[in-house]
Amino acid sequence: MCGICGIVSNTQQSNIKRVERMTRSMLHRGPDSNGLIELPKVTFGHTRLSIIDLDTRSNQPMTDTFGRTIVFNGEIYNYRELRQVLKSDYPFHTESDTEVILAAWNRWGPSCVEYFIGDWAFAIYDSSDGSTTLSRDRIGVKPMYYSRYNGEFIFASEVRALFEAGIPRTVTADSVSEFIRRGKNELGTSSLIDQVYALSPAHTITIDRDGHVTENTYWGESEIFGASVPDNFDDAVEAFGELFTDAVQLRMHADVPVGICLSGGLDSSLITAVAANNQTNPILTFSGIARGWQGDESRYSDEVSALHQTSHVCINLGLEDFFKALPRYVSAQEAPAGGVSPVARMLVLERAAEDVTVLLDGQGGDELLAGYTRFHDVYRKQWPDKELDIEQRDKKLTSNIATLSEFESGVLLPHKKLPDHSIHVERPVDPITSMQYAALRGPGLLSLLHTEDRLTMAKSLEGRVPFLDHRLVEFCFSSPLAFRIDNVDKRLARSFASRKNLLPDSIVSRRDKLGFATPYSEMLRNPDGYDMTRRLIDDTIDQSPGVLRRSVMHNILEEHRRGDIDQSKRLFRSITLLMWLDTFKLTII
């Protein structure tokens, strides 16, 4: 994993100093080396976290003998296989996957991305026609932001780098309102920052020598729903298992230490089991625990670790550590916190970074195999005659405090309706599949991947997500609904784990759905947690006055303390919003 940035401009003025500042702002993404190159009308910057081929010849920007220059963030997991295909007409000088992209571009042009198994964001300058092309992987695992500002096209892995290039530090009232309501830090093609956009997953943007911009997509519904899936469920389980095993094995390949984030849920446990079965040395696993608190899942992660004899590290999720971590979280995320659980995750990652450079995680399993509670609720309504053996959640209570009333009068007014970010599948599918598709391609997963990227990169870690291998995505979405959810959710994955004796029955047959559970919501109700939160409210309002109403924030905290409703998300969305505005010197417009 790395940090990339660049400026495409039609002026004759040098941009090397600006790109140098952009690159320097992302050194945490690539502490091993950094480089700059100025080309006709284009300047690139790169910071490198060395994962594959640690030789300095693989540093970037990389230019090949055909006059193409690349800056690349991510991994092409099938690069060794592609290299064998491409070596007949390309003179390789390194063992890196970066050079494989250049070789693939040489043979197939922009359509080379269709051959990649991996996660990427890259920019290629082609001297033959003076064009610059940006590409982002199919799911959006790796970030790519851009702005068309003052006649220039400016791009980077992180928004902080765009600020260094001169993009205004402004955020619209509408995006603030949208965040507080939904807690999403990725809003689709837009971002929380005014005039800053995210390149959509599975898209490329090309800027020609005259500055004209075109955008194209290379992966969509026809591919997602076009995989071949056996009609027989038993055969489908075998096929799923083969794909999943390959996805995990590909992501275990690195020239640096690799570990796994093990929550104790089905998804991360299955990754751990498959990885352990295909490695000779003990797997390193990391879990956040809060023994004795509601939602403690440590007994499940302990069982998986014992079964597969992993070298297991438990990170205690204490209250003081949580509060101390908040400023680091906001700085790393470039965004407010949507809730309390990502902060707990950061504490786990910070400890993992002491031992590993690559970390596998279970993101994507819920989207692929109908694991979310909202899917279950619709399933029960749609098919009331079927018994869904999954624990039902209690109905959510409604707060007595009006939404957005915590803001000072006028801060969020007047409102403009934001673009519709809802995702709709065009082909006729059942309601659950439609919801899964929206979850796969919408702001929810993109926000989770934003968090995955920023929290790992803040500690110079590379995060990898086997469930989001595009081959696995296509297989699951092309399978009948009953293969994904019938009497239970995640049916393919549960059956695979059971038939291969990969996991304890206590995990395979789990019917509760906790997600990444943390104790903090409960801790905020005890005297220490309450006092710390109240002080934090007052301190952040003092540092960023004129945004939030102190009295309403106190009332929200009181409502949470009484146990009437869980207001932890609302509290920390608001508190970290103020931290974010202060940290990045942002102005609401």
Side-chain angles (χ1 to χ4, degrees):
M1 187 111 57
C2 306
I4 65 174
C5 60
I7 299 175
V8 183
S9 175
N10 279 323
T11 68
Q12 298 303 313
Q13 183 177 350
S14 172
N15 285 312
I16 198 75
K17 293 294 185 183
R18 293 167 68 200
V19 174
E20 183 180 20
R21 292 196 300 271
M22 295 172 72
T23 304
R24 195 183 307 124
S25 73
M26 298 188 294
L27 289 179
H28 53 280
R29 296 187 70 93
D32 297 324
S33 71
N34 60 86
L36 305 166
I37 191 169
E38 192 153 39
L39 303 159
K41 299 184 179 181
V42 179
T43 308
F44 285 162
H46 185 270
T47 67
R48 184 184 183 198
L49 178 63
S50 302
I51 301 294
I52 292 173
D53 186 8
L54 309 185
D55 194 292
T56 57
R57 290 179 301 172
S58 294
N59 289 346
Q60 300 178 45
M62 180 183 289
T63 302
D64 69 8
T65 56
F66 299 98
R68 300 184 185 98
T69 301
I70 186 172
V71 284
F72 162 53
N73 167 35
E75 301 288 348
I76 307 301
Y77 298 116
N78 63 332
Y79 77 99
R80 289 167 293 185
E81 294 80 2
L82 287 173
R83 182 189 176 95
Q84 293 303 309
V85 173
L86 296 165
K87 65 182 182 180
S88 62
D89 59 6
Y90 189 90
F92 283 97
H93 300 286
T94 75
E95 299 296 323
S96 68
D97 55 344
T98 305
E99 194 174 19
V100 168
I101 298 176
L102 288 170
W105 189 280
N106 180 63
R107 180 174 296 189
W108 297 304
S111 63
C112 66
V113 294
E114 298 171 17
Y115 296 86
F116 296 162
I117 299 172
D119 311 313
W120 68 83
F122 66 73
I124 288 180
Y125 170 76
D126 192 333
S127 63
S128 66
D129 61 8
S131 67
T132 301
T133 300
L134 279 59
S135 176
R136 192 177 183 194
D137 65 73
R138 297 172 181 88
I139 309 295
V141 176
K142 303 307 178 193
M144 176 76 87
Y145 295 98
Y146 68 91
S147 181
R148 299 175 71 174
Y149 186 70
N150 281 348
E152 297 176 323
F153 191 101
I154 308 171
F155 70 90
S157 299
E158 296 188 2
V159 174
R160 72 184 78 231
L162 298 181
F163 291 150
E164 294 299 325
I167 303 302
R169 296 173 180 263
T170 52
V171 55
T172 66
D174 304 292
S175 62
V176 169
S177 173
E178 180 83 351
F179 174 80
I180 294 298
R181 285 192 177 99
R182 302 183 62 195
K184 309 301 182 188
N185 50 37
E186 293 286 343
L187 305 177
T189 57
S190 61
S191 77
L192 294 174
I193 304 298
D194 187 40
Q195 301 188 67
V196 171
Y197 304 91
L199 177 59
S200 295
H203 276 64
T204 60
I205 283 181
T206 298
I207 309 102
D208 69 18
R209 66 167 74 248
D210 298 319
H212 299 128
V213 178
T214 57
E215 185 168 354
N216 295 289
T217 183
Y218 61 86
W219 187 76
E221 280 189 32
S222 60
E223 291 82 15
I224 293 172
F225 293 99
S228 176
V229 179
D231 295 330
N232 179 274
F233 180 70
D234 291 339
D235 293 339
V237 171
E238 288 297 317
F240 171 87
E242 290 175 6
L243 272 177
F244 184 78
T245 299
D246 191 55
V248 173
Q249 286 182 292
L250 283 175
R251 286 159 180 79
M252 290 297 293
H253 175 69
D255 296 328
V256 293
V258 181
I260 299 172
C261 193
L262 175 61
S263 70
L266 177 66
D267 300 339
S268 63
S269 298
L270 191 55
I271 292 171
T272 301
V274 169
N277 279 355
N278 291 279
Q279 298 289 318
T280 54
N281 296 324
I283 298 291
L284 285 164
T285 52
F286 302 87
S287 298
I289 64 169
R291 301 191 192 278
W293 291 93
Q294 184 179 7
D296 175 20
E297 295 186 280
S298 58
R299 71 181 182 92
Y300 297 109
S301 58
D302 289 347
E303 279 188 76
V304 175
S305 175
L307 177 63
H308 292 288
Q309 298 182 321
T310 73
S311 179
H312 193 51
V313 177
C314 294
I315 297 92
N316 184 55
L317 302 178
L319 189 62
E320 286 193 19
D321 290 335
F322 169 79
F323 279 96
K324 289 178 181 177
L326 282 172
R328 301 198 305 276
Y329 174 90
V330 171
S331 178
Q333 279 284 286
E334 302 184 311
V340 293
S341 61
V343 184
R345 176 163 176 71
M346 187 178 76
L347 295 172
V348 175
L349 296 177
E350 288 180 338
R351 173 59 185 85
E354 298 177 16
D355 297 325
V356 299
T357 308
V358 173
L359 196 67
L360 276 63
D361 191 24
Q363 298 284 13
D366 290 315
E367 287 79 6
L368 268 60
L369 294 168
Y372 286 124
T373 301
R374 63 181 184 274
F375 299 160
H376 308 159
D377 293 341
V378 171
Y379 188 91
R380 290 187 176 98
K381 291 177 182 177
Q382 189 75 18
W383 294 280
D385 56 320
K386 292 191 176 184
E387 290 190 12
L388 189 58
D389 187 16
I390 302 172
E391 185 177 292
Q392 283 189 270
R393 294 279 187 91
D394 294 334
K395 293 284 186 181
K396 290 186 178 180
L397 299 174
T398 302
S399 173
N400 292 319
I401 304 170
T403 304
L404 303 181
S405 63
E406 56 264 51
F407 285 89
E408 290 280 6
S409 177
V411 170
L412 299 184
L413 298 174
H415 294 299
K416 299 175 184 176
K417 182 175 176 57
L418 286 177
D420 182 12
H421 298 298
S422 58
I423 305 295
H424 304 286
V425 61
E426 293 182 5
R427 62 189 58 215
V429 295
D430 62 83
I432 305 301
T433 301
S434 178
M435 293 177 68
Q436 286 184 257
Y437 185 82
L440 176 77
R441 311 210 77 180
L445 180 59
L446 286 174
S447 294
L448 292 173
L449 294 175
H450 173 116
T451 298
E452 175 79 16
D453 175 80
R454 296 310 190 284
L455 294 187
T456 51
M457 281 278 81
K459 299 304 293 182
S460 301
L461 276 169
E462 176 176 291
R464 297 180 176 179
V465 281
F467 273 100
L468 293 177
D469 185 302
H470 78 277
R471 300 167 301 164
L472 203 60
V473 172
E474 293 169 3
F475 184 90
C476 291
F477 274 85
S478 301
S479 69
L481 178 64
F483 288 10
R484 288 170 268 139
I485 180 170
D486 192 28
N487 63 312
V488 294
D489 64 353
K490 302 186 179 182
R491 189 179 171 210
L492 281 167
R494 291 182 194 274
S495 298
F496 170 57
S498 179
R499 293 179 190 188
K500 302 299 182 182
N501 296 312
L502 293 172
L503 295 173
D505 184 65
S506 59
I507 291 175
V508 174
S509 62
R510 280 188 71 179
R511 300 299 186 255
D512 57 332
K513 175 63 183 171
L514 297 177
F516 188 63
T518 69
Y520 297 129
S521 177
E522 189 179 356
M523 287 181 177
L524 298 185
R525 292 192 171 106
N526 71 27
D528 287 343
Y530 173 85
D531 289 344
M532 288 182 186
T533 308
R534 188 178 173 101
R535 286 197 298 271
L536 185 59
I537 289 170
D538 290 338
D539 289 345
T540 51
I541 289 177
D542 288 343
Q543 290 170 1
S544 300
V547 180
L548 296 183
R549 287 193 178 100
R550 195 183 307 262
S551 60
V552 178
M553 289 297 298
H554 287 170
N555 289 340
I556 295 171
L557 177 60
E558 284 294 333
E559 190 174 66
H560 181 82
R561 183 188 62 80
R562 292 194 303 267
D564 299 342
I565 184 173
D566 187 342
Q567 286 280 30
S568 58
K569 287 184 179 179
R570 188 171 176 184
L571 282 167
F572 285 96
R573 285 176 191 174
S574 300
I575 290 169
T576 56
L577 169 69
L578 296 184
M579 288 184 172
W580 175 59
L581 295 172
D582 181 59
T583 299
F584 291 95
K585 309 306 177 192
L586 301 171
T587 302
I588 299 177
I589 59 172

